[in-house]
Amino acid sequence: MTALILDGKSLAQQREAQLKESVSGLVQRNGNRTPILATILVGDDPASATYVQMKGNACRRVGMDSIKVELPQSTTTEELLATINDLNNNPDVHGILLQHPVPEQIDERACFDAIDLAKDVDGVTTQGFGRMAMAEPAYGSATPAGIMHLLEHYGIELSGKHAVVVGRSPILGKPMAAMLLNANCTVTICHSRTANLADHVAQADILVGAVGRPELIRAEWIKDGAVVVDAGYHPGGIGDIEKDGLENRVAALTPVPGGVGPMTINALISQTVEAAEKAADAAQ
Ligand code: NAP
């Protein structure tokens, strides 16, 4: 068996071409107002700075603007909340991205939850998560939402399959599990206290690695014919899942890089366009 490569880079490019047309139509019917994503970067983590830069670049590629807010490492929760509040009240801003993680003195959950639900295009609020989990209209957390687009595009069957998600973070593992459940998978969530991780991974028809540890999930644990999605990215193009030999025995596989990463940015941009369209409709 030769694994189908779930090429997030090329799908994101295709979706960007469609988004560019949507944005152009939206600008015309909305008095030349360009949709705007506000990004907030707190502190001096170079990886976070790169991610924010990439998100701003993606906005430009589809004809949107971005406002870049940069705050120092010493920022307090109150200061960040005030910034978020200003952006909530700015009618020109359609989406708000607070780059995770923020410095540890900040109450990240309080700040995520301060984002106006209508502008929560990265799907980080508790309310947005709850609505998504209940299958009500909501912007999904960008990384799992991007993964779902990727699986859908490649026609990966989910209903009745056993999905194993390794990782339970609020932005990735938990919403991923809820989305797969909503797609009628039987879902197992693993985390740092899970006993016998290898045994759980071996059960997976659909495996999602979201642990943040290079190649923690070993290739030999994974069963033949599984669909393997690796959200991890570490220096040297290494993911959270070891890939040795998998290309010859699993059904499908995301490359690292070029799999989940581009789809995360694409989901964010796509949800920002949707928010701008809703704002334009509401104003008419
Ligand atoms: P995180 O907040 O650090 O969460 C990691 C999760 O992995 C936690 O739930 C943790 O369990 C679990 N874990 C840690 N060690 C484990 C072990 N030995 N066995 C089983 N589970 C273990 O990370 P995250 O933000 O979800 O990110 C996860 C990965 O996705 C990272 O590699 C990150 O770089 C990547 N990521 C990629 C994108 C993208 O756009 N491509 C976006 C976001 C994240 P506990 O809950 O018990 O601590």
Side-chain angles (χ1 to χ4, degrees):
M1 175 180 279
T2 303
L4 172 69
I5 300 301
L6 305 178
D7 185 344
K9 192 174 168 193
S10 90
L11 178 57
Q13 280 168 355
Q14 282 174 43
R15 287 172 57 93
E16 269 191 13
Q18 292 157 6
L19 286 170
K20 201 172 172 181
E21 281 183 23
S22 304
V23 171
S24 152
L26 180 59
V27 170
Q28 275 176 21
R29 81 178 157 92
N30 200 26
N32 283 330
R33 282 180 69 209
T34 306
I36 294 180
L37 172 69
T39 62
I40 310 172
L41 174 64
V42 190
D44 37 30
D45 175 45
S48 291
T50 304
Y51 293 140
V52 169
Q53 181 75 44
M54 288 164 79
K55 290 164 186 173
N57 292 345
C59 284
R60 265 189 300 284
R61 286 198 301 272
V62 301
M64 294 199 307
D65 281 336
S66 63
I67 295 178
K68 245 171 124 178
V69 179
E70 290 181 1
L71 298 173
Q73 186 75 23
S74 58
T75 301
T76 62
T77 301
E78 289 66 32
E79 287 164 342
L80 182 50
L81 286 171
T83 299
I84 292 167
N85 198 36
D86 286 347
L87 295 170
N88 282 341
N89 291 326
N90 182 343
D92 293 332
V93 169
H94 301 99
I96 300 171
L97 165 95
L98 170 58
Q99 184 64 39
H100 161 86
V102 294
E104 59 184 22
Q105 77 276 8
I106 292 176
D107 182 343
E108 185 177 76
R109 177 44 47 203
C111 293
F112 276 156
D113 282 342
I115 296 172
D116 185 333
L117 191 60
K119 299 187 181 188
D120 179 24
V121 292
D122 203 27
V124 294
T125 60
T126 303
Q127 207 187 344
F129 175 91
R131 289 183 60 81
M132 178 279 293
M134 292 295 171
E136 293 293 328
Y139 299 118
S141 181
T143 302
I147 290 171
M148 293 303 284
H149 290 312
L150 191 60
L151 295 173
E152 189 182 25
H153 173 79
Y154 281 98
I156 304 293
E157 204 185 312
L158 297 175
S159 184
K161 302 292 180 187
H162 187 174
V164 176
V165 180
V166 190
R168 58 172 168 181
S169 74
I171 60 154
L172 219 175
K174 272 184 197 159
M176 182 81 261
M179 288 178 197
L180 290 165
L181 181 63
N182 286 345
N184 297 317
C185 286
T186 301
V187 181
T188 298
I189 309 175
C190 302
H191 46 79
S192 66
R193 314 283 174 87
T194 296
N196 305 322
L197 179 63
D199 293 347
H200 291 289
V201 169
Q203 301 290 317
D205 300 315
I206 316 280
L207 173 67
V208 180
V211 276
R213 307 277 154 94
E215 298 189 342
L216 178 108
I217 300 162
R218 311 307 297 174
E220 66 188 16
W221 301 349
I222 299 168
K223 77 174 176 191
D224 291 356
V227 172
V228 178
V229 176
D230 192 344
Y233 177 71
H234 307 278
I238 290 172
D240 289 350
I241 302 177
E242 184 196 30
K243 304 293 184 326
D244 287 3
L246 288 186
E247 64 280 4
N248 296 320
R249 60 181 193 83
V250 298
L253 189 60
T254 57
V256 176
V260 173
M263 291 307 297
T264 296
I265 295 180
N266 188 260
L268 170 75
I269 301 301
S270 158
Q271 294 186 151
T272 307
V273 173
E274 205 180 317
E277 279 170 343
K278 281 188 188 148
D281 290 346
Q284 274 168 7

